Amino acid sequence: MATTREADPTHDFIFTAQPARVVFARGSLQRLPQEVEALGARRALVLCTPQQRDQAQAAADLLGALSVGVYDGAQMHVPIEGARLAREHARAVGADCAVAIGGGSTIGLGKAIALESSLPIIAVPTTYAGSEMTPIYGITEAGLKKTGRDARVLPRTVLYDPDLSVGLPVAMSVTSGINAIAHAAEGLYARDGNPVMSLMAEEGIRALAVGLRGVVRSPSDLAARGDCLYGAWLCGTVLGHVGMALHHKLCHTLGGSFNLPHAETHTIVLPHALHYNTQAAPEAMRRIARALGSDDAATGVHDLAAELKAPLALRDIGMPESELDRAAEIALANPYWNPRPIEAQAIRELLRNAWEGRRPGD
């Protein structure tokens, strides 16, 4: 006699896929002219930071007559003043497409332009932050970083070329990669999570842990660089599809209000945010630990960062001890949903532990 069983409520979900074209291959940058033309664009503005001007100029040269030049005004945390200047420049040169080559700062600038103009973006990531796969934007104004979601800012095409990340310094590679791991980790306990994103999150964490170790051993190892970009794609996809929680709120507060470096802040805070949520999200923590090859999610992330010589303490990246109370107040003022209720004293203790660089649980 056939038996039936009740539906497992853990499999109840809603999944809406984000539309995006991804080209992942060594040498994929060479496809840039075809990808611009595929969007129906003829006047692409190449965006970058001042430090990546040469790389951006090479992309503009590759585009030839399809390019209207390079704009190298991208800045960390996307200050509103810089976003306004970039929007004005894009209008002045008649750009009909933005090519953002670089990391989160450059892709964030492209999104700031698209938010107002709906200009299509082609992202060419050279770090592992994952912003290229999301409709999330962030703009800092009057010392506060404001984030939002808008379909207009989702890059239409993403070119992942491992060759372009070989020159990324090891220290930056490590923090950028752990930043991406943070997206996947919080995706595993997201309120709107689903099985598809959970699979991608766990695999993304695993790939980045393996790839980052390989990059530290040999910075020019293209297989390791490819693992990192693959992991970044997965983790960025998770970030683009589900909501984030306490960790991201704390990092947006610390970065936007105290101008701390983005990836380093994520790297330092993540173990402590996971420790805070350990009892409230046991299945997520089990999967994070498994992906890292560790017995515990929070200590696994901390130990990975320590092994890879990443910064472990907020005090070491410029956070004044005297501002910890204000940071807690800002974070508590408009909290994100979190699996564990937000408790003021516990958040203050979390920030103190992150400031000191303690190993979670010690």
Side-chain angles (χ1 to χ4, degrees):
M1 179 177 170
T3 60
T4 61
R5 62 181 184 133
E6 292 184 20
D8 184 346
T10 63
H11 291 316
D12 293 350
F13 65 93
I14 296 173
F15 172 53
T16 303
Q18 301 284 0
R21 172 176 167 81
V22 173
V23 180
F24 195 114
R26 284 192 64 187
S28 60
L29 180 64
Q30 300 304 311
R31 296 182 56 94
L32 186 57
Q34 297 97 297
E35 299 298 335
V36 168
E37 290 177 333
L39 294 179
R42 295 292 182 270
R43 298 180 62 80
L45 177 62
V46 183
L47 307 174
C48 65
T49 61
Q51 294 80 9
Q52 290 188 283
R53 174 91 196 191
D54 290 346
Q55 206 166 32
Q57 188 59 56
D61 292 345
L62 185 64
L63 287 169
L66 291 171
S67 171
V68 290
V70 172
Y71 184 82
D72 64 0
Q75 297 173 265
M76 186 172 64
H77 304 306
V78 194
I80 185 65
E81 299 81 5
R84 287 172 179 149
L85 288 173
R87 290 165 178 167
E88 291 167 5
H89 182 81
R91 279 195 297 268
V93 298
D96 60 4
C97 168
V99 174
I101 182 164
S105 298
T106 300
I107 293 167
L109 181 63
K111 291 179 174 185
I113 296 171
L115 186 63
E116 182 183 84
S117 65
S118 298
L119 213 64
I121 303 168
I122 295 177
V124 186
T126 61
T127 70
Y128 309 129
S131 172
E132 64 280 355
M133 292 304 302
T134 81
I136 301 168
Y137 64 89
I139 296 175
T140 301
E141 184 173 9
L144 293 175
K145 187 169 186 178
K146 300 173 183 177
T147 63
R149 287 176 176 260
D150 193 301
R152 289 175 296 177
V153 309
L154 178 70
R156 298 275 292 277
T157 304
V158 183
L159 302 181
Y160 286 104
D161 186 341
D163 289 345
L164 299 180
S165 65
V166 170
L168 188 66
V170 169
M172 196 178 298
S173 299
V174 168
T175 55
S176 179
I178 298 178
N179 180 12
I181 286 174
H183 306 329
E186 290 223 298
L188 281 164
Y189 52 70
R191 177 169 48 176
D192 55 349
N194 61 72
V196 177
M197 290 301 109
S198 293
L199 287 166
M200 296 183 82
E202 186 173 349
E203 172 66 359
I205 294 169
R206 184 206 63 78
L208 276 158
V210 170
L212 290 174
R213 289 186 172 105
V215 167
V216 168
R217 283 193 301 269
S218 176
S220 61
D221 182 343
L222 278 167
R225 293 289 183 179
D227 283 340
C228 288
L229 269 186
Y230 167 66
W233 165 62
L234 290 166
C235 295
T237 300
V238 173
L239 175 65
H241 282 83
V242 300
M244 297 290 106
L246 172 65
H247 168 79
H248 281 73
K249 177 61 179 183
L250 291 174
C251 291
H252 292 157
T253 297
L254 293 167
S257 298
F258 303 98
N259 202 36
L260 298 186
H262 182 83
E264 288 86 344
T265 302
H266 274 276
T267 299
I268 293 165
V269 172
L270 181 59
H272 303 282
L274 294 179
H275 183 68
Y276 183 94
N277 284 325
T278 292
Q279 299 303 317
E283 176 60 16
M285 300 305 163
R286 185 184 68 80
R287 296 184 74 159
I288 295 165
R290 181 170 66 190
L292 293 169
S294 173
D295 294 330
D296 177 79
T299 56
V301 172
H302 180 277
D303 293 349
L304 176 67
E307 174 192 341
L308 301 178
K309 303 294 190 290
L312 301 174
L314 290 174
R315 63 185 174 192
D316 293 336
I317 63 168
M319 180 66 187
E321 182 179 12
S322 60
E323 295 283 20
L324 291 176
D325 284 336
R326 189 162 77 92
E329 289 170 7
I330 296 170
L332 290 164
N334 185 26
Y336 295 176
W337 176 90
N338 193 63
R340 173 183 168 184
I342 303 300
E343 302 161 15
Q345 186 56 41
I347 295 301
R348 181 63 175 77
E349 182 180 348
L350 183 164
L351 287 170
R352 162 63 62 175
N353 291 338
W355 186 82
E356 293 180 356
R358 291 187 181 182
R359 188 172 188 260
D362 285 0

